[in-house]
Amino acid sequence: MGKQQHRPTQLPLDELATAYVRAGETLFLAVHDDIAARVRLAHPEAAYLEVSVHEPGAVELHGIWSVREPESDISHVLYNPHDDADGSWRDGPLDVDELVQDLGRILPHSFLQHWGVIQPHPVLEHRNRRRWVVLPPADRAATVAEVVRRHVPGAESLVCRFEVDHGRIAVGFEQLALSGGGTVGVPCPHCSPESEDSPWPHDVFHELAHLLGQLYALPHLRARHLTLCVDVESHHEGQLWQLVFPYRESALTEATRT
């Protein structure tokens, strides 16, 4: 009887595929964060990059845009490469050639699509050719807290879970802890999509899931902001994690007075 043939690794292939996808998500998110940091050195108000992706690795930058104004939902262009024919940006803090090269490394792949980083162009006539690249907030944990507290002002922490779904990280929600010791359950949007007990509208689930998934996927942010939670029971599988929200400015001010 001949010797049994072994693969170089005994890990099941589906586990290897999952590890590959998660490593890709981590790497591409990290490059995306680095791009955002460089852009904001030159344009602190930057929130979006307007790009088009041609053949694999070929990306064209059409503009750097500001945050949208709350009342009008309008962004302002901060940099337009087509108005910079003399290449004056070469003397500034942002190397646009390097920026476009790095965008070409990450945008043709699907890793960033999962986190809502790549969005359709807001102008319908450009939607078939151009994309809107969303730059991450400077502090994702603070942004999650801000979003949650719009709907539950007394929230102090969020308990959630992270599962692998088709090789990618999926985010689930369990409960909110409130100031004073109370809790608010968060119905699962998949198990109870029509629940009227949800603390926020359905679209907020997606906004929070994108931010929380990024916190979990980037190891340095996971270690800084998320802690394993062992004292909360769940009807779902998967390890629970807790995100403790930063103190609000009003709470800090009140504490200093007392």
Side-chain angles (χ1 to χ4, degrees):
M1 182 180 295
K3 293 184 179 180
Q4 183 179 1
Q5 297 295 318
H6 294 281
R7 296 197 309 272
T9 174
Q10 294 303 306
L11 286 174
L13 292 181
D14 58 344
E15 291 186 19
L16 289 173
T18 297
Y20 171 81
V21 171
R22 292 186 61 180
E25 289 179 336
T26 298
L27 173 61
F28 281 47
L29 280 171
V31 175
H32 180 243
D33 276 17
D34 185 66
I35 288 172
R38 282 181 278 151
V39 169
R40 285 173 172 152
L41 281 176
H43 305 284
E45 298 179 359
Y48 308 99
L49 304 180
E50 182 185 10
V51 303
S52 57
V53 180
H54 304 290
E55 60 191 38
V59 171
E60 183 178 358
L61 177 69
H62 297 281
I64 298 173
W65 293 78
S66 70
V67 295
R68 293 172 181 169
E69 297 178 359
E71 300 298 328
S72 61
D73 200 32
I74 295 176
S75 297
H76 298 284
V77 64
L78 303 173
Y79 172 76
N80 184 347
H82 302 295
D83 293 338
D84 190 23
D86 60 350
S88 60
W89 52 264
R90 295 181 185 277
D91 298 324
L94 181 63
D95 187 329
V96 177
D97 283 345
E98 182 182 48
L99 172 68
V100 170
Q101 185 178 31
D102 287 342
L103 287 169
R105 291 191 177 105
I106 64 175
L107 294 185
H109 302 275
S110 63
F111 291 113
L112 293 179
Q113 303 284 349
H114 184 57
W115 303 122
V117 171
I118 313 299
Q119 296 184 359
H121 198 283
V123 179
L124 186 60
E125 64 181 280
H126 294 317
R127 194 157 290 178
N128 291 334
R129 295 171 296 169
R130 301 183 185 182
R131 294 292 179 268
W132 215 236
V133 179
V134 182
L135 301 183
D139 188 332
R140 290 179 176 89
T143 303
V144 169
E146 179 184 352
V147 172
V148 169
R149 283 170 173 160
R150 288 181 201 149
H151 306 278
V152 186
E156 289 193 340
S157 70
L158 171 64
V159 176
C160 52
R161 66 186 183 280
F162 302 92
E163 305 168 345
V164 177
D165 182 19
H166 296 93
R168 296 187 178 276
I169 298 171
V171 181
F173 299 85
E174 289 294 331
Q175 68 179 32
L176 294 166
L178 307 177
S179 56
T183 60
V184 173
V186 183
C188 174
H190 300 291
C191 302
S192 307
E194 304 300 327
S195 175
E196 297 181 356
D197 296 327
S198 175
W200 44 67
H202 190 75
D203 60 337
V204 176
F205 279 107
H206 295 289
E207 182 179 5
L208 292 173
H210 290 156
L211 292 168
L212 290 163
Q214 293 172 37
L215 279 175
Y216 183 82
L218 292 166
H220 64 291
L221 296 183
R222 185 195 317 167
R224 184 184 309 165
H225 297 293
L226 296 171
T227 56
L228 288 172
C229 186
V230 297
D231 57 352
V232 175
E233 295 183 357
S234 173
H235 298 294
H236 299 88
E237 295 182 358
Q239 178 64 58
L240 298 180
W241 297 76
Q242 184 178 36
L243 171 64
V244 177
F245 296 157
Y247 284 109
R248 290 168 291 184
E249 291 295 329
S250 57
L252 288 173
T253 303
E254 186 64 27
T256 57
R257 290 175 180 172
T258 60

